[in-house]
Amino acid sequence: MDITEYIKLVFTDYTLRTITLGTAILGAVTGMLGSFAVLRKQSLLGDAISHAALPGIAIAFLITGAKDGNILLLGALVSGLIGTFWIRGIISKTHLKSDTALGLILSLFFGFGMLLITFIQKQPNANQAGLDKYLFGQAATLVERDVWMMALVTGICLFVLLLFWKEFKILLFDADYTKTLGFNTKFIDILITTFIVLAIVLGLQTVGVVLMSAMLLAPAAAARQWTNSLSVMVFLAAIFGAFSGVVGTAISASENNLSTGPVIVLVAGVFVIFSFIFSPSRGLLFKQIRFIRNRRDLQLQKTLSFMFHIAETHENIGHPHAIKILNNFQGFTKGSLQKLVQKNYVKIHGAMWSLTEEGFKTAANLYNQQTQKNE
Amino acid sequence: MSDKIAVKVDDLTVAYNYKPVLWDIDLEIPEGVLMAIVGPNGAGKSTLIKSILGILKPIAGSVEIFGKPYAKQRQIVAYVPQKGSVDWDFPTTALDVVIMGTYGSLGWIKRPRQKEKKAALEALEKVGMLPFKNRQISQLSGGQQQRIFLARALVQNASIYFMDEPFQGVDATTEIAIINILKELRKAGKTVIVVHHDLQTVPEYFDWVTFLNVKKIATGPVKDIFNDDNLTKTYGINYKVSIQE
């Protein structure tokens, strides 16, 4: 299937359109909120919340006996929130560190959830099948109503984000200081956390309990590489998330119906790897290039200043010297000599070299410039 | 210095996990002094100012700012946290951080506008950081980051300033810049309280001092109480500091 044909299909085919829209909105909202989780160094919180949501789904099913998506997600929301506040409680009330608290709640809730789901599956009830789809998600089960729900939550989230932008920003940067300014930091904190839980619960049907935290973290981690501004970072994370959703859905739809959730997560992962390598200011590639370039510049300067010290003992700075004497010190290479000639700092006459007027001046200023830079 | 009491602390006791960090602190800080809080590591210096500012919850005691509870006086109190308490890789610029100092007077939801930006630029100018206003904060040196924090507090235009180790790990240029600003603040009648580590510079920089080691050892004018006796009581070993008059 070629791309134009696929795009046409996205607009005409109900199922594909629903899934594409749903995953795009999901990616955008998780990317946005994920930026806050990443900057607060609460990356693992998302993982704990999504796992903590599982028993809620099972209990909601046990109580109502119905597989209505919204009721199950309501259960997920409640148990996700309980898990989150237990984590916070453990951290503030005991000596345990946050990673211990996160791990504890994650495995306890997930274990309990799995127990309930296996219990439900043993029941003689035809309705029970399919709860395990929440483990890895099943985008194909998305219907229009789910997408509307996602759009609604995203809209509210965006509104609150814009309204409390200043408060979110300062809390993320310096919580203690925020408190001294008279802001209720607990309220801002609970607001952020609640929206993170909401976004995670929204994604459970599509991406599933196990992989959901990647949706939160990957777009945000990728976005951080490209910008030094919080607003741009949140915006980029939303774009990356939405794009991962759309591309992931396309790949999974065209290739033998690969499971959508994992493909979306992998696409987001590609964004992360690409950003880590190719970002101009923070990427590994440009860091390495800058490193090599600096080293080469330093090599040239070393050679030039050595030549300068020889040349300055003569009245005529153009006085030629043997190239051989350069061998006496390390760092001289034919390459660097060639570069100096190209820059018109040095002239070569057979086995002799001499400094040009320009080369002499540059070398004389080399030392001055460097001390100025250090100041 | 006036006769008014700027900060009054009564019976303040703070404990982490049942271990007392501050024990029954009574403290009166007169208006207009430039005061150092000194004491060994773990003496509770930072804890003291964090409890005064309501960041930490004491198990007992009360704090008054000019005779009223702190919660009613927030607008006239500014805080400079320890530089290491935040992540400097946060995606924001120097100017943005300084503008945060105006958030308190703005209150909820209202955004900073031209007026706030102007105030922030003036504060940056005062600490000599105007040329770096658009710099990403991770690309500033430790001393420059400290000056950004100071500028953020200056924007608040407070009457009382609490600073947690503003001289920690800064270069000589920054140290001079900071002390000049502190002295200017005192000249303008402000009260400045500084957690300080370098005992040698206490007589030169400050006119008031509090010795702290879980309990309050002494508080008063530097010229009266900054002596070997109090230093020994605070640091536990025979401490000798040559004091230049």
Side-chain angles (χ1 to χ4, degrees), chain A residues 15-75:
Chain A
T15 316
L16 197 57
R17 188 180 57 203
T18 311
I19 298 174
T20 305
L21 256 177
T23 51
I25 294 174
L26 180 70
V29 71
T30 51
M32 236 155 48
L33 291 164
S35 305
F36 293 127
V38 166
L39 288 175
R40 299 194 75 187
K41 313 217 171 348
Q42 286 183 337
S43 303
L44 275 177
L45 185 66
D47 214 15
I49 294 171
S50 64
H51 283 78
L54 193 62
I57 294 172
I59 290 172
F61 176 78
L62 279 175
I63 293 173
T64 61
K67 245 180 6 194
D68 177 59
N70 284 350
I71 289 177
L72 296 189
L73 287 189
L74 191 68

Side-chain angles (χ1 to χ4, degrees), chain A residues 50-251:
Chain A
S50 64
H51 283 78
L54 193 62
I57 294 172
I59 290 172
F61 176 78
L62 279 175
I63 293 173
T64 61
K67 245 180 6 194
D68 177 59
N70 284 350
I71 289 177
L72 296 189
L73 287 189
L74 191 68
L77 180 67
V78 171
S79 96
L81 283 172
I82 292 175
T84 312
F85 289 104
W86 279 13
I87 291 168
R88 293 162 54 102
I90 291 174
I91 296 169
S92 66
K93 296 278 177 339
T94 71
H95 299 209
L96 295 174
K97 295 276 179 290
S98 64
D99 55 343
T100 317
L102 288 170
L104 206 62
I105 294 297
L106 183 153
S107 32
L108 278 180
F109 273 65
F110 187 63
F112 184 51
M114 287 306 289
L115 186 93
L116 288 175
I117 283 180
T118 39
F119 170 74
I120 291 168
Q121 278 169 342
K122 293 261 158 60
Q123 297 284 301
N125 178 350
N127 201 17
Q128 29 81 352
L131 274 192
D132 52 344
K133 81 172 185 209
Y134 284 99
L135 281 181
F136 295 104
Q138 203 169 352
T141 59
L142 280 178
V143 291
E144 207 176 299
R145 206 178 50 162
D146 299 326
V147 177
W148 278 116
M149 187 73 184
M150 284 181 183
L152 180 72
V153 173
T154 307
I156 295 172
C157 174
L158 203 61
F159 176 72
V160 171
L161 205 68
L162 289 174
L163 198 63
F164 294 109
W165 178 259
K166 168 177 121 246
E167 286 77 12
F168 285 165
K169 181 175 179 176
I170 191 171
L171 181 80
L172 289 177
F173 178 61
D174 194 345
D176 280 356
Y177 182 72
T178 312
K179 220 173 191 176
T180 68
L181 292 181
F183 290 102
N184 186 341
T185 50
K186 215 172 198 166
F187 171 74
I188 310 173
D189 188 24
I190 287 174
L191 206 59
I192 296 182
T193 313
T194 306
F195 273 103
I196 291 177
V197 177
L198 256 176
I200 286 173
V201 166
L202 272 184
L204 291 181
Q205 193 186 350
T206 319
V207 178
V209 164
V210 178
L211 291 175
M212 196 49 217
S213 70
M215 285 300 287
L216 211 58
L217 307 182
R224 179 68 188 93
Q225 297 297 310
W226 297 98
T227 175
N228 279 326
S229 147
L230 180 63
S231 44
V232 177
M233 175 178 168
V234 171
F235 180 73
L236 275 182
I239 298 284
F240 288 170
F243 209 73
S244 307
V246 173
V247 174
T249 306
I251 293 173

Side-chain angles (χ1 to χ4, degrees), chain B residues 159-175:
Chain B
S159 308
I160 305 175
Y161 289 82
F162 288 92
M163 306 188 183
D164 203 343
E165 307 231 10
F167 300 107
Q168 174 106 56
V170 302
D171 50 290
T173 328
T174 301
E175 178 145 353

